[in-house]
Amino acid sequence: MLNLDNYTTEIAGLIEEAVNHPYMLDYIDRPEIDHIKLELLLRLFDKAEMPYEEVREIAVAAMLVQIALDIHDKVTLSAEGEETSEFQKSRQVTVLAGDYFSGLYYQILAAVNKVSYISSLSAAIREINEHKIHLYQSFHKDSSDLLSSIRIIEAALILRAADEAGEPELGALFAEILLLKRLYEERQLLNEGLQSPFIIQLARLSQTGEDISKCAENLDSLIGSVIHTIQVSSAGREWTAGLITRFEKLGKKC
């Protein structure tokens, strides 16, 4: 069994080294590691009894993909008055940074001959980007459809890794955990009076318009439904309860 605390710290350190590119960091914020996703990946590979050397390389590669996706999300259309050379340079470097970190995952997995994981992570990237398009262009027909997209956006990397590791049921549970994490993050944005593509979509589908309190009620209902799905699962009840407690702090009212 992996020592999750020690290995999470070690692998996070390897990821930090990989993204420590001095030139790019002059123009972009230092990429953040999603420690929850990293922890879930390690739990998944631990359950599959994979050798640590393989776990380390695959986990680093998967998290670099996640970082690349997160960086690309920050590339937005220029607002009026922002067409300065410095702004354009930062934007260009942000795009290149996302591409650079995405390319690193291929290099890492190819070096250890994990061709099947290269294919799986590539498929996950495609799925995530497809559903981000759905989210930004309001393609969803109801809240269930919306949640399905968010689940894929948050968990496609882990779902694909779970299939490769022969642990699809655990992957499905982890997908619900990551969906819950995202919903609590959205709840925090709503508490702060901010809007996101998800909140805009939920308001449209729920026909709440600018009624923030009604939108919050609908979001809380979705959170409760996902918590129930997680709690009825027999896998890892003790530590999933701990994760839910951590997520709840995100959703507390300001």
Side-chain angles (χ1 to χ4, degrees), residues 177-194:
I177 290 172
L178 291 174
L179 172 60
L180 180 63
K181 174 177 175 284
R182 173 65 179 268
L183 292 180
Y184 271 123
E185 290 168 348
E186 296 289 348
R187 187 65 170 90
Q188 184 182 37
L189 290 177
L190 202 55
N191 291 341
E192 295 172 355
L194 302 175

Side-chain angles (χ1 to χ4, degrees), residues 56-74:
R56 181 183 60 218
E57 302 304 321
I58 296 170
V60 169
M63 294 309 298
L64 286 173
V65 170
Q66 184 63 60
I67 286 172
L69 290 166
D70 292 343
I71 288 175
H72 279 148
D73 281 346
K74 295 180 180 179

Side-chain angles (χ1 to χ4, degrees), residues 77-98:
L77 294 175
S78 304
E80 185 177 353
E82 288 185 325
E83 293 291 349
T84 64
S85 60
E86 189 67 18
F87 176 83
Q88 287 298 320
K89 183 68 169 292
S90 176
R91 195 161 175 267
Q92 290 166 1
V93 174
T94 300
V95 173
L96 291 173

Side-chain angles (χ1 to χ4, degrees), residues 15-45:
I15 298 168
E16 290 280 2
E17 289 179 14
V19 301
N20 188 26
H21 194 292
Y23 176 76
M24 286 189 291
L25 293 179
D26 283 342
Y27 292 91
I28 66 173
D29 295 332
R30 179 174 291 277
E32 294 183 6
I33 299 171
D34 189 326
H35 288 274
I36 296 294
K37 287 184 181 178
L38 176 55
E39 179 181 333
L40 292 180
L41 274 173
L42 295 183
R43 287 187 182 277
L44 170 67
F45 295 145

Side-chain angles (χ1 to χ4, degrees), residues 190-210:
L190 202 55
N191 291 341
E192 295 172 355
L194 302 175
Q195 290 192 336
S196 68
F198 171 83
I199 291 172
I200 293 170
Q201 277 259 47
L202 182 61
R204 177 183 67 83
L205 294 169
S206 306
Q207 298 182 338
T208 59
E210 296 182 359

Side-chain angles (χ1 to χ4, degrees), residues 204-220:
R204 177 183 67 83
L205 294 169
S206 306
Q207 298 182 338
T208 59
E210 296 182 359
D211 188 341
I212 300 300
S213 63
K214 186 63 177 178
C215 188
E217 289 177 12
N218 290 335
L219 181 51
D220 288 341

